[in-house]
Amino acid sequence: NWDVYDVGKQFWTLTVHPSNSEVLFGGDLAKGVFKSQDHGQTWTELNNGINAVIIYDVDVDPNDRNHLLAATAAGVYEKQGDGAWIGTSYFPQTFAFSVAFDPMGDGSTYYAGTQGWLAKTINSGQDWVYSTPELPYNFVTDIAVDPNGANVFITTRAASGGGSVYKITNPQTLDLVGPVKSDSSAFNVVVIDPNNPDHIFAGSGDHLGAKVLGNLYESMDGGGSWSLSGLTNVIVNALLIDTRDS
């Protein structure tokens, strides 16, 4: 059964705490970041220091549950413990649409998806490197890093319509491979099976502007080939894999 809570928020993104499923983080379309400690029944504003109201993504450091990232209309923000949010990016197009920690890093290494590039820092935003080649007029909508940090997948939304999945096999140079999969609608999400890094899911569909239905695609060989998963003609915005049964 589903429990439904009318909390008066317009969440673009929801993130579940990796070690406590009662704790959720929500990114609102107009009011910033919120935190719930009761599985979504009540929410507390978490915006000290953040200079943005549109939140596209939130990630929790898998090695430090009190360390957060937020992708916002004003770029990337980082929060340590009870401290205030600190802006850590200076992207050419300002916006950050997605963020992800490197699970093998010390917390200072993380990725951000912006317009035209996947960006990476190894020193909490003091310096950034960008993927090549550039993807003009494409927005990096999601990032998935495999548990060993060896491969990275990103999804994109093209301004002219459609979207793609790309793979990065060298996280040091950020050279893009692909697209390894494309669709006539935007790709919104990509997830790597935590028990098998060659098992990938990617979901498409466009809910911005004119609605365009998409599909859920699955790869069993690290993105080399893809098949329909059985979930078709839908808009797939988010995915979670049960680590106990993947």
Side-chain angles (χ1 to χ4, degrees):
N1 295 326
W2 291 87
D3 294 321
V4 179
Y5 307 119
D6 185 0
V7 296
K9 303 290 186 295
Q10 298 181 77
F11 287 144
W12 181 278
T13 182
L14 280 175
T15 300
V16 182
H17 195 287
S19 61
N20 183 356
S21 61
E22 290 293 311
V23 177
L24 307 174
F25 298 95
D28 195 87
L29 280 176
K31 299 178 181 178
V33 181
F34 290 82
K35 179 180 180 180
S36 172
Q37 301 188 78
D38 55 13
H39 209 247
Q41 297 180 67
T42 59
W43 295 85
T44 302
E45 186 177 303
L46 200 66
N47 288 324
N48 183 26
I50 202 165
N51 187 28
V53 294
I54 303 175
I55 310 298
Y56 295 106
D57 195 16
V58 176
D59 197 28
V60 183
D61 187 340
N63 302 309
D64 180 357
R65 61 185 182 180
N66 296 310
H67 186 195
L68 305 175
L69 293 174
T72 82
V76 176
Y77 280 81
E78 183 176 1
K79 177 175 170 57
Q80 297 266 12
D82 295 327
W85 291 97
I86 298 173
T88 66
S89 67
Y90 43 88
F91 301 141
Q93 303 298 331
T94 306
F95 281 72
F97 300 98
S98 48
V99 283
F101 281 101
D102 182 343
M104 299 300 292
D106 61 0
S108 62
T109 299
Y110 49 82
Y111 298 87
T114 183
Q115 181 177 334
W117 295 279
L118 173 69
K120 180 183 180 181
T121 179
I122 59 172
N123 52 18
S124 288
Q126 295 180 49
D127 302 286
W128 291 89
V129 294
Y130 298 90
S131 57
T132 55
E134 182 184 354
L135 302 171
Y137 308 109
N138 278 263
F139 308 97
V140 178
T141 54
D142 199 24
I143 306 163
V145 187
D146 81 26
N148 300 315
N151 294 310
V152 181
F153 287 84
I154 63 171
T155 54
T156 66
R157 170 193 303 276
S160 59
S164 298
V165 182
Y166 291 85
K167 183 177 182 179
I168 296 93
T169 57
N170 188 336
Q172 281 68 49
T173 60
L174 295 190
D175 294 326
L176 296 178
V177 177
V180 296
K181 183 62 183 172
S182 296
D183 202 348
S184 58
S185 60
F187 272 96
N188 306 307
V189 60
V190 59
V191 176
I192 300 173
D193 185 338
N195 299 311
N196 179 2
D198 286 330
H199 188 200
I200 319 293
F201 289 94
S204 65
D206 201 340
H207 59 93
L208 299 175
K211 183 170 73 173
V212 180
L213 299 180
N215 302 288
L216 179 61
Y217 295 96
E218 182 177 14
S219 174
M220 296 298 298
D221 58 3
S225 59
W226 297 80
S227 60
L228 291 173
S229 69
L231 188 62
T232 59
N233 295 318
V234 294
I235 297 175
V236 182
N237 287 327
L239 288 170
L240 280 176
I241 296 178
D242 187 343
T243 58
R244 300 162 299 180
D245 182 14
S246 60

PDB file of all heavy atoms in Angstrom, residues 102 104-105 109-111 118-122 128-132 145 148-152 167-176:
ATOM      1  N   ASP A 102      31.483  10.732  -6.046  1.00  0.00           N
ATOM      2  CA  ASP A 102      32.276   9.564  -6.407  1.00  0.00           C
ATOM      3  C   ASP A 102      32.299   8.650  -5.180  1.00  0.00           C
ATOM      4  O   ASP A 102      32.832   9.034  -4.131  1.00  0.00           O
ATOM      5  CB  ASP A 102      33.689   9.992  -6.776  1.00  0.00           C
ATOM      6  CG  ASP A 102      34.573   8.833  -7.216  1.00  0.00           C
ATOM      7  OD1 ASP A 102      34.217   7.661  -6.933  1.00  0.00           O
ATOM      8  OD2 ASP A 102      35.622   9.095  -7.820  1.00  0.00           O
ATOM      9  N   MET A 104      34.054   6.242  -4.410  1.00  0.00           N
ATOM     10  CA  MET A 104      35.397   5.848  -3.992  1.00  0.00           C
ATOM     11  C   MET A 104      36.217   7.039  -3.502  1.00  0.00           C
ATOM     12  O   MET A 104      37.368   6.879  -3.099  1.00  0.00           O
ATOM     13  CB  MET A 104      36.133   5.168  -5.158  1.00  0.00           C
ATOM     14  CG  MET A 104      35.471   3.901  -5.651  1.00  0.00           C
ATOM     15  SD  MET A 104      35.353   2.643  -4.361  1.00  0.00           S
ATOM     16  CE  MET A 104      37.087   2.223  -4.155  1.00  0.00           C
ATOM     17  N   GLY A 105      35.622   8.223  -3.520  1.00  0.00           N
ATOM     18  CA  GLY A 105      36.354   9.422  -3.124  1.00  0.00           C
ATOM     19  C   GLY A 105      36.240   9.711  -1.643  1.00  0.00           C
ATOM     20  O   GLY A 105      35.591   8.989  -0.879  1.00  0.00           O
ATOM     21  N   THR A 109      35.471  14.723  -4.125  1.00  0.00           N
ATOM     22  CA  THR A 109      35.367  14.377  -5.544  1.00  0.00           C
ATOM     23  C   THR A 109      33.907  14.126  -5.893  1.00  0.00           C
ATOM     24  O   THR A 109      33.266  13.262  -5.298  1.00  0.00           O
ATOM     25  CB  THR A 109      36.197  13.129  -5.873  1.00  0.00           C
ATOM     26  OG1 THR A 109      37.570  13.384  -5.592  1.00  0.00           O
ATOM     27  CG2 THR A 109      36.043  12.748  -7.334  1.00  0.00           C
ATOM     28  N   TYR A 110      33.392  14.907  -6.826  1.00  0.00           N
ATOM     29  CA  TYR A 110      32.013  14.708  -7.251  1.00  0.00           C
ATOM     30  C   TYR A 110      31.793  15.269  -8.649  1.00  0.00           C
ATOM     31  O   TYR A 110      32.642  15.981  -9.200  1.00  0.00           O
ATOM     32  CB  TYR A 110      31.016  15.310  -6.255  1.00  0.00           C
ATOM     33  CG  TYR A 110      31.261  16.738  -5.790  1.00  0.00           C
ATOM     34  CD1 TYR A 110      30.873  17.833  -6.557  1.00  0.00           C
ATOM     35  CD2 TYR A 110      31.840  16.986  -4.549  1.00  0.00           C
ATOM     36  CE1 TYR A 110      31.042  19.128  -6.109  1.00  0.00           C
ATOM     37  CE2 TYR A 110      32.027  18.282  -4.087  1.00  0.00           C
ATOM     38  CZ  TYR A 110      31.633  19.355  -4.871  1.00  0.00           C
ATOM     39  OH  TYR A 110      31.818  20.639  -4.415  1.00  0.00           O
ATOM     40  N   TYR A 111      30.657  14.885  -9.212  1.00  0.00           N
ATOM     41  CA  TYR A 111      30.290  15.240 -10.580  1.00  0.00           C
ATOM     42  C   TYR A 111      29.071  16.160 -10.587  1.00  0.00           C
ATOM     43  O   TYR A 111      28.246  16.124  -9.666  1.00  0.00           O
ATOM     44  CB  TYR A 111      29.940  13.988 -11.385  1.00  0.00           C
ATOM     45  CG  TYR A 111      31.054  12.996 -11.543  1.00  0.00           C
ATOM     46  CD1 TYR A 111      31.277  12.013 -10.588  1.00  0.00           C
ATOM     47  CD2 TYR A 111      31.883  13.021 -12.665  1.00  0.00           C
ATOM     48  CE1 TYR A 111      32.295  11.081 -10.729  1.00  0.00           C
ATOM     49  CE2 TYR A 111      32.906  12.094 -12.825  1.00  0.00           C
ATOM     50  CZ  TYR A 111      33.102  11.131 -11.847  1.00  0.00           C
ATOM     51  OH  TYR A 111      34.107  10.213 -12.001  1.00  0.00           O
ATOM     52  N   LEU A 118      29.441  17.262 -18.746  1.00  0.00           N
ATOM     53  CA  LEU A 118      29.562  16.697 -17.412  1.00  0.00           C
ATOM     54  C   LEU A 118      30.820  17.315 -16.815  1.00  0.00           C
ATOM     55  O   LEU A 118      31.873  17.351 -17.459  1.00  0.00           O
ATOM     56  CB  LEU A 118      29.721  15.176 -17.470  1.00  0.00           C
ATOM     57  CG  LEU A 118      30.032  14.496 -16.127  1.00  0.00           C
ATOM     58  CD1 LEU A 118      28.832  14.560 -15.203  1.00  0.00           C
ATOM     59  CD2 LEU A 118      30.482  13.055 -16.345  1.00  0.00           C
ATOM     60  N   ALA A 119      30.713  17.812 -15.593  1.00  0.00           N
ATOM     61  CA  ALA A 119      31.851  18.436 -14.929  1.00  0.00           C
ATOM     62  C   ALA A 119      32.263  17.599 -13.724  1.00  0.00           C
ATOM     63  O   ALA A 119      31.449  16.902 -13.119  1.00  0.00           O
ATOM     64  CB  ALA A 119      31.495  19.853 -14.474  1.00  0.00           C
ATOM     65  N   LYS A 120      33.555  17.668 -13.370  1.00  0.00           N
ATOM     66  CA  LYS A 120      34.069  16.912 -12.229  1.00  0.00           C
ATOM     67  C   LYS A 120      35.057  17.772 -11.450  1.00  0.00           C
ATOM     68  O   LYS A 120      35.879  18.494 -12.024  1.00  0.00           O
ATOM     69  CB  LYS A 120      34.779  15.630 -12.707  1.00  0.00           C
ATOM     70  CG  LYS A 120      35.342  14.784 -11.570  1.00  0.00           C
ATOM     71  CD  LYS A 120      36.103  13.566 -12.090  1.00  0.00           C
ATOM     72  CE  LYS A 120      36.669  12.723 -10.961  1.00  0.00           C
ATOM     73  NZ  LYS A 120      37.424  11.543 -11.467  1.00  0.00           N
ATOM     74  N   THR A 121      34.985  17.660 -10.131  1.00  0.00           N
ATOM     75  CA  THR A 121      35.954  18.299  -9.256  1.00  0.00           C
ATOM     76  C   THR A 121      36.554  17.257  -8.321  1.00  0.00           C
ATOM     77  O   THR A 121      35.873  16.301  -7.935  1.00  0.00           O
ATOM     78  CB  THR A 121      35.317  19.435  -8.431  1.00  0.00           C
ATOM     79  OG1 THR A 121      36.311  20.008  -7.559  1.00  0.00           O
ATOM     80  CG2 THR A 121      34.157  18.936  -7.575  1.00  0.00           C
ATOM     81  N   ILE A 122      37.803  17.434  -7.965  1.00  0.00           N
ATOM     82  CA  ILE A 122      38.435  16.555  -6.978  1.00  0.00           C
ATOM     83  C   ILE A 122      38.816  17.339  -5.725  1.00  0.00           C
ATOM     84  O   ILE A 122      39.474  16.800  -4.830  1.00  0.00           O
ATOM     85  CB  ILE A 122      39.681  15.843  -7.556  1.00  0.00           C
ATOM     86  CG1 ILE A 122      40.724  16.851  -8.023  1.00  0.00           C
ATOM     87  CG2 ILE A 122      39.286  14.920  -8.702  1.00  0.00           C
ATOM     88  CD1 ILE A 122      42.053  16.211  -8.436  1.00  0.00           C
ATOM     89  N   TRP A 128      37.428  22.627 -11.748  1.00  0.00           N
ATOM     90  CA  TRP A 128      36.526  21.715 -12.455  1.00  0.00           C
ATOM     91  C   TRP A 128      37.148  21.336 -13.789  1.00  0.00           C
ATOM     92  O   TRP A 128      37.809  22.163 -14.433  1.00  0.00           O
ATOM     93  CB  TRP A 128      35.169  22.378 -12.724  1.00  0.00           C
ATOM     94  CG  TRP A 128      34.344  22.613 -11.498  1.00  0.00           C
ATOM     95  CD1 TRP A 128      34.354  23.713 -10.696  1.00  0.00           C
ATOM     96  CD2 TRP A 128      33.367  21.722 -10.953  1.00  0.00           C
ATOM     97  NE1 TRP A 128      33.446  23.567  -9.675  1.00  0.00           N
ATOM     98  CE2 TRP A 128      32.822  22.357  -9.802  1.00  0.00           C
ATOM     99  CE3 TRP A 128      32.888  20.461 -11.313  1.00  0.00           C
ATOM    100  CZ2 TRP A 128      31.831  21.765  -9.025  1.00  0.00           C
ATOM    101  CZ3 TRP A 128      31.904  19.870 -10.537  1.00  0.00           C
ATOM    102  CH2 TRP A 128      31.392  20.520  -9.407  1.00  0.00           C
ATOM    103  N   VAL A 129      36.953  20.095 -14.193  1.00  0.00           N
ATOM    104  CA  VAL A 129      37.290  19.666 -15.549  1.00  0.00           C
ATOM    105  C   VAL A 129      35.987  19.272 -16.240  1.00  0.00           C
ATOM    106  O   VAL A 129      34.998  18.896 -15.576  1.00  0.00           O
ATOM    107  CB  VAL A 129      38.283  18.487 -15.559  1.00  0.00           C
ATOM    108  CG1 VAL A 129      39.622  18.927 -15.003  1.00  0.00           C
ATOM    109  CG2 VAL A 129      37.739  17.303 -14.779  1.00  0.00           C
ATOM    110  N   TYR A 130      35.981  19.342 -17.581  1.00  0.00           N
ATOM    111  CA  TYR A 130      34.756  19.150 -18.341  1.00  0.00           C
ATOM    112  C   TYR A 130      34.913  18.016 -19.354  1.00  0.00           C
ATOM    113  O   TYR A 130      35.997  17.800 -19.897  1.00  0.00           O
ATOM    114  CB  TYR A 130      34.365  20.448 -19.056  1.00  0.00           C
ATOM    115  CG  TYR A 130      34.071  21.580 -18.113  1.00  0.00           C
ATOM    116  CD1 TYR A 130      35.084  22.440 -17.705  1.00  0.00           C
ATOM    117  CD2 TYR A 130      32.797  21.776 -17.607  1.00  0.00           C
ATOM    118  CE1 TYR A 130      34.821  23.483 -16.818  1.00  0.00           C
ATOM    119  CE2 TYR A 130      32.522  22.816 -16.734  1.00  0.00           C
ATOM    120  CZ  TYR A 130      33.541  23.667 -16.338  1.00  0.00           C
ATOM    121  OH  TYR A 130      33.272  24.681 -15.463  1.00  0.00           O
ATOM    122  N   SER A 131      33.799  17.350 -19.595  1.00  0.00           N
ATOM    123  CA  SER A 131      33.807  16.237 -20.542  1.00  0.00           C
ATOM    124  C   SER A 131      34.037  16.727 -21.965  1.00  0.00           C
ATOM    125  O   SER A 131      33.751  17.880 -22.305  1.00  0.00           O
ATOM    126  CB  SER A 131      32.477  15.482 -20.468  1.00  0.00           C
ATOM    127  OG  SER A 131      31.387  16.361 -20.723  1.00  0.00           O
ATOM    128  N   THR A 132      34.585  15.832 -22.778  1.00  0.00           N
ATOM    129  CA  THR A 132      34.775  16.104 -24.198  1.00  0.00           C
ATOM    130  C   THR A 132      34.215  14.937 -25.003  1.00  0.00           C
ATOM    131  O   THR A 132      34.302  13.782 -24.566  1.00  0.00           O
ATOM    132  CB  THR A 132      36.263  16.279 -24.541  1.00  0.00           C
ATOM    133  OG1 THR A 132      36.989  15.126 -24.112  1.00  0.00           O
ATOM    134  CG2 THR A 132      36.833  17.513 -23.866  1.00  0.00           C
ATOM    135  N   VAL A 145      27.339   6.719 -11.156  1.00  0.00           N
ATOM    136  CA  VAL A 145      28.730   6.283 -11.009  1.00  0.00           C
ATOM    137  C   VAL A 145      28.712   4.863 -10.459  1.00  0.00           C
ATOM    138  O   VAL A 145      28.037   4.592  -9.460  1.00  0.00           O
ATOM    139  CB  VAL A 145      29.509   7.200 -10.047  1.00  0.00           C
ATOM    140  CG1 VAL A 145      30.991   6.833 -10.039  1.00  0.00           C
ATOM    141  CG2 VAL A 145      29.321   8.666 -10.428  1.00  0.00           C
ATOM    142  N   ASN A 148      32.479   1.039  -7.979  1.00  0.00           N
ATOM    143  CA  ASN A 148      33.937   1.076  -7.933  1.00  0.00           C
ATOM    144  C   ASN A 148      34.512   2.374  -8.484  1.00  0.00           C
ATOM    145  O   ASN A 148      35.728   2.547  -8.501  1.00  0.00           O
ATOM    146  CB  ASN A 148      34.514  -0.104  -8.721  1.00  0.00           C
ATOM    147  CG  ASN A 148      34.074  -1.438  -8.164  1.00  0.00           C
ATOM    148  OD1 ASN A 148      34.107  -1.636  -6.946  1.00  0.00           O
ATOM    149  ND2 ASN A 148      33.649  -2.350  -9.035  1.00  0.00           N
ATOM    150  N   GLY A 149      33.635   3.260  -8.960  1.00  0.00           N
ATOM    151  CA  GLY A 149      34.090   4.534  -9.506  1.00  0.00           C
ATOM    152  C   GLY A 149      34.738   4.437 -10.863  1.00  0.00           C
ATOM    153  O   GLY A 149      35.302   5.417 -11.358  1.00  0.00           O
ATOM    154  N   ALA A 150      34.673   3.256 -11.504  1.00  0.00           N
ATOM    155  CA  ALA A 150      35.408   3.043 -12.752  1.00  0.00           C
ATOM    156  C   ALA A 150      34.678   3.600 -13.970  1.00  0.00           C
ATOM    157  O   ALA A 150      35.318   4.102 -14.901  1.00  0.00           O
ATOM    158  CB  ALA A 150      35.678   1.560 -12.950  1.00  0.00           C
ATOM    159  N   ASN A 151      33.358   3.484 -13.997  1.00  0.00           N
ATOM    160  CA  ASN A 151      32.573   3.942 -15.139  1.00  0.00           C
ATOM    161  C   ASN A 151      31.492   4.909 -14.682  1.00  0.00           C
ATOM    162  O   ASN A 151      30.960   4.792 -13.577  1.00  0.00           O
ATOM    163  CB  ASN A 151      31.907   2.761 -15.854  1.00  0.00           C
ATOM    164  CG  ASN A 151      32.921   1.844 -16.509  1.00  0.00           C
ATOM    165  OD1 ASN A 151      33.794   2.296 -17.243  1.00  0.00           O
ATOM    166  ND2 ASN A 151      32.808   0.552 -16.237  1.00  0.00           N
ATOM    167  N   VAL A 152      31.180   5.843 -15.560  1.00  0.00           N
ATOM    168  CA  VAL A 152      30.133   6.826 -15.287  1.00  0.00           C
ATOM    169  C   VAL A 152      29.192   6.857 -16.479  1.00  0.00           C
ATOM    170  O   VAL A 152      29.638   6.820 -17.633  1.00  0.00           O
ATOM    171  CB  VAL A 152      30.731   8.236 -15.066  1.00  0.00           C
ATOM    172  CG1 VAL A 152      29.628   9.244 -14.769  1.00  0.00           C
ATOM    173  CG2 VAL A 152      31.773   8.211 -13.953  1.00  0.00           C
ATOM    174  N   LYS A 167      28.544   7.163 -21.985  1.00  0.00           N
ATOM    175  CA  LYS A 167      29.362   6.443 -21.016  1.00  0.00           C
ATOM    176  C   LYS A 167      30.740   7.094 -20.931  1.00  0.00           C
ATOM    177  O   LYS A 167      31.280   7.538 -21.945  1.00  0.00           O
ATOM    178  CB  LYS A 167      29.495   4.975 -21.433  1.00  0.00           C
ATOM    179  CG  LYS A 167      30.274   4.095 -20.469  1.00  0.00           C
ATOM    180  CD  LYS A 167      30.281   2.636 -20.954  1.00  0.00           C
ATOM    181  CE  LYS A 167      31.017   1.726 -19.978  1.00  0.00           C
ATOM    182  NZ  LYS A 167      31.002   0.301 -20.425  1.00  0.00           N
ATOM    183  N   ILE A 168      31.283   7.157 -19.735  1.00  0.00           N
ATOM    184  CA  ILE A 168      32.649   7.633 -19.518  1.00  0.00           C
ATOM    185  C   ILE A 168      33.433   6.475 -18.914  1.00  0.00           C
ATOM    186  O   ILE A 168      33.099   6.011 -17.811  1.00  0.00           O
ATOM    187  CB  ILE A 168      32.696   8.858 -18.579  1.00  0.00           C
ATOM    188  CG1 ILE A 168      31.973  10.052 -19.212  1.00  0.00           C
ATOM    189  CG2 ILE A 168      34.131   9.233 -18.256  1.00  0.00           C
ATOM    190  CD1 ILE A 168      30.533  10.182 -18.834  1.00  0.00           C
ATOM    191  N   THR A 169      34.435   5.989 -19.620  1.00  0.00           N
ATOM    192  CA  THR A 169      35.214   4.852 -19.134  1.00  0.00           C
ATOM    193  C   THR A 169      36.513   5.286 -18.467  1.00  0.00           C
ATOM    194  O   THR A 169      37.191   4.472 -17.848  1.00  0.00           O
ATOM    195  CB  THR A 169      35.541   3.884 -20.287  1.00  0.00           C
ATOM    196  OG1 THR A 169      36.232   4.604 -21.322  1.00  0.00           O
ATOM    197  CG2 THR A 169      34.274   3.279 -20.852  1.00  0.00           C
ATOM    198  N   ASN A 170      36.853   6.562 -18.607  1.00  0.00           N
ATOM    199  CA  ASN A 170      38.028   7.109 -17.931  1.00  0.00           C
ATOM    200  C   ASN A 170      37.608   8.348 -17.149  1.00  0.00           C
ATOM    201  O   ASN A 170      37.586   9.456 -17.689  1.00  0.00           O
ATOM    202  CB  ASN A 170      39.126   7.458 -18.938  1.00  0.00           C
ATOM    203  CG  ASN A 170      40.431   7.857 -18.257  1.00  0.00           C
ATOM    204  OD1 ASN A 170      40.441   8.297 -17.105  1.00  0.00           O
ATOM    205  ND2 ASN A 170      41.535   7.720 -18.967  1.00  0.00           N
ATOM    206  N   PRO A 171      37.261   8.199 -15.877  1.00  0.00           N
ATOM    207  CA  PRO A 171      36.786   9.342 -15.089  1.00  0.00           C
ATOM    208  C   PRO A 171      37.829  10.438 -14.902  1.00  0.00           C
ATOM    209  O   PRO A 171      37.488  11.538 -14.480  1.00  0.00           O
ATOM    210  CB  PRO A 171      36.419   8.701 -13.739  1.00  0.00           C
ATOM    211  CG  PRO A 171      36.155   7.274 -14.042  1.00  0.00           C
ATOM    212  CD  PRO A 171      37.143   6.931 -15.129  1.00  0.00           C
ATOM    213  N   GLN A 172      39.099  10.149 -15.219  1.00  0.00           N
ATOM    214  CA  GLN A 172      40.123  11.189 -15.097  1.00  0.00           C
ATOM    215  C   GLN A 172      40.056  12.178 -16.260  1.00  0.00           C
ATOM    216  O   GLN A 172      40.229  13.383 -16.077  1.00  0.00           O
ATOM    217  CB  GLN A 172      41.520  10.555 -15.043  1.00  0.00           C
ATOM    218  CG  GLN A 172      41.905   9.987 -13.688  1.00  0.00           C
ATOM    219  CD  GLN A 172      41.076   8.767 -13.314  1.00  0.00           C
ATOM    220  OE1 GLN A 172      40.935   7.839 -14.121  1.00  0.00           O
ATOM    221  NE2 GLN A 172      40.518   8.748 -12.114  1.00  0.00           N
ATOM    222  N   THR A 173      39.817  11.669 -17.473  1.00  0.00           N
ATOM    223  CA  THR A 173      39.806  12.544 -18.646  1.00  0.00           C
ATOM    224  C   THR A 173      38.400  12.964 -19.060  1.00  0.00           C
ATOM    225  O   THR A 173      38.230  13.926 -19.814  1.00  0.00           O
ATOM    226  CB  THR A 173      40.467  11.845 -19.834  1.00  0.00           C
ATOM    227  OG1 THR A 173      39.742  10.642 -20.145  1.00  0.00           O
ATOM    228  CG2 THR A 173      41.908  11.476 -19.499  1.00  0.00           C
ATOM    229  N   LEU A 174      37.378  12.247 -18.612  1.00  0.00           N
ATOM    230  CA  LEU A 174      35.975  12.537 -18.940  1.00  0.00           C
ATOM    231  C   LEU A 174      35.709  12.511 -20.443  1.00  0.00           C
ATOM    232  O   LEU A 174      34.941  13.326 -20.964  1.00  0.00           O
ATOM    233  CB  LEU A 174      35.533  13.886 -18.357  1.00  0.00           C
ATOM    234  CG  LEU A 174      35.492  14.020 -16.838  1.00  0.00           C
ATOM    235  CD1 LEU A 174      34.797  15.331 -16.439  1.00  0.00           C
ATOM    236  CD2 LEU A 174      34.803  12.850 -16.176  1.00  0.00           C
ATOM    237  N   ASP A 175      36.335  11.577 -21.144  1.00  0.00           N
ATOM    238  CA  ASP A 175      36.051  11.411 -22.573  1.00  0.00           C
ATOM    239  C   ASP A 175      34.724  10.662 -22.725  1.00  0.00           C
ATOM    240  O   ASP A 175      34.560   9.552 -22.201  1.00  0.00           O
ATOM    241  CB  ASP A 175      37.164  10.619 -23.257  1.00  0.00           C
ATOM    242  CG  ASP A 175      38.480  11.367 -23.256  1.00  0.00           C
ATOM    243  OD1 ASP A 175      38.443  12.615 -23.347  1.00  0.00           O
ATOM    244  OD2 ASP A 175      39.534  10.718 -23.154  1.00  0.00           O
ATOM    245  N   LEU A 176      33.795  11.250 -23.455  1.00  0.00           N
ATOM    246  CA  LEU A 176      32.486  10.638 -23.649  1.00  0.00           C
ATOM    247  C   LEU A 176      32.541   9.540 -24.697  1.00  0.00           C
ATOM    248  O   LEU A 176      33.161   9.701 -25.749  1.00  0.00           O
ATOM    249  CB  LEU A 176      31.463  11.687 -24.086  1.00  0.00           C
ATOM    250  CG  LEU A 176      31.146  12.810 -23.092  1.00  0.00           C
ATOM    251  CD1 LEU A 176      30.160  13.786 -23.716  1.00  0.00           C
ATOM    252  CD2 LEU A 176      30.599  12.260 -21.788  1.00  0.00           C
TER     253      LEU A 176
END
